[in-house]
């Protein structure tokens, strides 16, 4: 189970970032990433932004937007192991 947040600013950044991520296109994927990073900076224990941020790196691979798919995959794996319980 992912850790939740009581930080409304972190939650708002997460929701906006997630909205962009879920549009499933390269441009919105780029927009989503800093918003999700801001959510994490506001509450490093909030698990959901880590999950979506990891997915942005995976989507870079799918979109062919990653300069290094191996590094993108490694980044996604690291993020997927962040706060979750």
């Amino acid at each position: 189970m992912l850790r939740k947040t009581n930080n409304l600013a972190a939650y708002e950044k997460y929701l906006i970032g997630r909205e962009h991520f879920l549009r499933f296109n390269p441009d919105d994927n780029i927009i989503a990433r800093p918003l999700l990073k801001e959510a994490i900076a506001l509450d490093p224990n909030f698990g959901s932004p880590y999950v979506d941020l990891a997915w942005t790196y995976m989507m870079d691979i799918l979109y062919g937007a990653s300069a290094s798919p191996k590094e993108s995959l490694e980044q996604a794996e690291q993020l997927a192991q962040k706060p979750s319980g």
Side-chain angles (χ1 to χ4, degrees), residues 11-83:
Y11 189 63
E12 180 180 30
K13 292 290 182 182
Y14 163 69
L15 289 177
I16 296 168
R18 181 171 176 76
E19 178 182 344
H20 283 282
F21 167 69
L22 291 176
R23 292 180 183 168
F24 296 115
N25 66 69
D27 293 336
D28 279 292
N29 200 56
I30 291 168
I31 294 168
R33 191 168 292 146
L35 292 163
L36 295 166
K37 287 180 179 181
E38 286 180 55
I40 291 167
L42 290 165
D43 185 350
N45 293 314
F46 181 20
S48 296
Y50 288 98
V51 173
D52 285 357
L53 184 57
W55 273 110
T56 67
Y57 288 98
M58 295 297 294
M59 296 308 286
D60 273 353
I61 297 168
L62 180 69
Y63 297 139
S66 176
S68 173
K70 181 182 178 197
E71 288 180 21
S72 292
L73 181 59
E74 289 171 357
Q75 186 68 36
E77 288 174 342
Q78 289 174 7
L79 288 162
Q81 295 176 29
K82 297 292 182 177

